[in-house]
Amino acid sequence: MAERCAVVGIAQTHHKKVRDDVSLAGLLREAGQRALDDAAMTWRDVDAVVIGTAPDSFEGVMMPELYLADALGAAGKPIMRVHTAGSVGGSTAIVATHLVQSGVRKRVLTIAFEKQSEGDTTWGLSGGRSGGVGAGGYFAPHIRAYIERSQAPEYVGWMVAVKDRLNALKNPYAHLKVPDITLEKVRDSPMVWEPVRRLESCPASDGACAMVLTDEAGGDRAPRPPAWVHGTAIRSELGQFPGRDPVNPQGGRDCAADVYAQAGITDPRREVDVVEMYVPFSWYEPMWLENLGFADVGQGWKLTEDGVTELTGALPVNCSGGVLSSNPIGASGMLRFAEAAMQVRGTAGEHQVEGARTAVGHAYGGAAQFFAMWVVRSTKP
């Protein structure tokens, strides 16, 4: 049996368009120190460090892990970098979890980060060429295909944008805060990549997220309630191949099935209390609700329309404001995992879901081809 793994420290930085008050190393140090404070630990208590960020070309800083060891108290300790495109924050947390579950390490600090203000993501996505269409240009055809298949009304995308931005008002670390957000304001915002409007799109943010993971003994000693890891899963598939369905990727379905099986979940719609899923464009909420098994194919948008995914709904989704409100790409996946863990620890503050005991964190990346998920609970496996 694998060693049990507990999340005993969680922290994030304030996410902003530009964090010019700190260096890249300072940004990571800020998140890491806060996570250690939450766990009542010091840098000396950590056995290993696992970090993750998006492709180097997004920031223009090559192999930053080579110089970050000193800032992270990792000199003389194992440090590892994970890279799975936009899902990297989730994958990074899972690699750190496995170091604990395998018994290799007892206390692991994991940090994911991005300073988009110091690079050009669209340039990076275009392979260093100008004139790229960006992530939205790539995903817009998939969204159009979903709308055509499901016959979902166009206001569903606006509803997701309004919901997540209202949730962000309750999150002190969120980047985008739009107090006067309405369906009409989203509808009237400029069309960026048809059918995606500006207010249905994620921002470009600077920020970092950190967690401290321990073995069972560390979880038992933790000064604050831990979140216990009940399942982790990673899947990937090629970005293009004949017969691939990018609207409902097989890799995402397999990832969800695996993590639910590990956690003993047979009916995710009724057994999960809260979900933090990776939604960079509003239509990905109904799309992932179907891909992750919370709704039948073609029915995900009805959960949004019926208010099921609102903070007070039966299945709250992205109570933190999600990627639509803060998007330091390399950290965005770990933020989903961390926010899920905060919910079952009861430490989510104003966006806490009352009585949350089981939560799902989800991340995806690349051409909707890399997937990472975990299930955390307030009780031990």
Side-chain angles (χ1 to χ4, degrees), residues 261-274:
Q262 293 176 42
I265 293 174
T266 57
D267 186 348
R269 171 72 176 76
R270 289 171 176 75
E271 296 176 46
V272 174
D273 298 316
V274 57

Side-chain angles (χ1 to χ4, degrees), residues 244-268:
R244 179 176 188 250
D245 183 0
V247 176
N248 190 8
Q250 184 66 46
R253 297 199 299 271
D254 291 347
C255 189
D258 186 1
V259 80
Y260 297 153
Q262 293 176 42
I265 293 174
T266 57
D267 186 348

Side-chain angles (χ1 to χ4, degrees), residues 211-290:
M211 293 189 287
V212 178
L213 310 180
T214 70
D215 59 8
E216 182 176 9
D220 290 338
R221 290 194 301 267
R224 300 177 181 83
W228 295 94
V229 179
H230 283 246
T232 61
I234 292 176
R235 290 290 188 279
S236 62
E237 64 184 37
L238 292 174
Q240 295 181 357
F241 59 83
R244 179 176 188 250
D245 183 0
V247 176
N248 190 8
Q250 184 66 46
R253 297 199 299 271
D254 291 347
C255 189
D258 186 1
V259 80
Y260 297 153
Q262 293 176 42
I265 293 174
T266 57
D267 186 348
R269 171 72 176 76
R270 289 171 176 75
E271 296 176 46
V272 174
D273 298 316
V274 57
V275 185
E276 280 281 336
M277 62 173 63
Y278 202 107
V279 178
F281 305 102
S282 60
W283 279 98
Y284 269 90
E285 176 174 297
M287 291 165 69
W288 291 146
L289 284 170
E290 297 173 22

